[in-house]
Amino acid sequence: MNTETADEIIAATYRALCEHGYADLTMQCIADESSMTTAAIHYHFDTKKELLNAFLQHIIDQFEQQLPHDASDPRERLASFLTTIFTPASTREDDFPIALMELKAQAPYQEIYRERLHDMDEKMQAIVTSAVRDGIDAGYFDDTDPEMVARFVVTSINGGHVREVALAEDPNETRQMIETYLELQLGWTPEVVA
């Protein structure tokens, strides 16, 4: 499949998923959001499950590209990670949290979605663990268990995502909670990275 066709199908899937939700999403809904027919979409993806797996992989790949990996200063890496996670809705597609939540809600029933989300969770934890461990080694952070800090941070992010979508809570409330936790555990509060 060429990139233009894949991009069109993925974009149409995103719009249809946000508008109809998982339960009411059909290949026809996706076709209605694109210039393609359902037959053309079925040519590339046999089932809705296969298409949504590709969609989920696409949004995970985009998310991973935004995550910081290169900063040598662990404080900068951790602050950049939080900035990436808590990008204001005005600078991203407003319905992204909803689309992701729709697929998270299916993870208990669709092992392939659960595996993709598990991989994303592990990558986030690895970034935080590495930054905390490097920060402790460099003397920037108080000595603590990097894995436990990472688990708390990522669990808070996931819970904050639910609160943002289900309760319309401002994601900055979760960020502030995480920053307070980091200050208590590491003796350090991240500065906002632009």
Side-chain angles (χ1 to χ4, degrees), residues 13-158:
T13 302
Y14 173 83
R15 290 188 299 272
L17 183 60
C18 290
E19 182 177 340
H20 301 283
Y22 183 89
D24 294 330
L25 183 68
T26 64
M27 293 295 222
Q28 183 61 56
C29 294
I30 296 167
D32 291 346
E33 293 290 335
S34 74
S35 64
M36 304 178 79
T37 65
T38 56
I41 294 171
H42 276 293
Y43 176 77
H44 299 289
F45 299 98
D46 289 335
T47 65
K48 178 174 95 169
K49 179 180 175 182
E50 183 182 320
L51 172 54
L52 288 173
N53 182 47
F55 171 75
L56 181 57
Q57 186 60 53
H58 171 80
I59 61 175
I60 289 171
D61 290 345
Q62 282 189 319
F63 174 72
E64 287 176 5
Q65 290 173 5
Q66 297 171 11
L67 291 175
H69 299 281
D70 300 333
S72 59
D73 187 321
R75 297 167 297 185
E76 183 181 325
R77 214 175 325 140
L78 193 52
S80 294
F81 171 80
L82 293 175
T83 296
T84 299
I85 295 296
F86 294 105
T87 298
S90 61
T91 61
R92 67 173 186 227
E93 296 183 61
D94 290 337
D95 292 332
F96 173 78
I98 295 169
L100 184 57
M101 183 61 73
E102 286 287 341
L103 294 176
K104 281 182 175 182
Q106 295 307 309
Y109 314 105
Q110 302 291 339
E111 183 176 349
I112 192 71
Y113 302 165
R114 185 171 49 253
E115 289 171 4
R116 295 267 185 266
L117 293 167
H118 186 297
D119 290 346
M120 183 170 77
D121 198 76
E122 282 188 337
K123 287 175 184 169
M124 290 192 302
Q125 286 192 52
I127 289 169
V128 176
T129 299
S130 171
V132 171
R133 182 174 290 118
D134 292 350
I136 292 168
D137 292 346
Y140 298 133
F141 303 151
D142 295 344
D143 192 21
T144 191
D145 182 341
E147 287 83 10
M148 290 302 292
V149 170
R151 184 165 176 85
F152 179 89
V153 168
V154 173
T155 299
S156 297
I157 289 166
N158 286 323

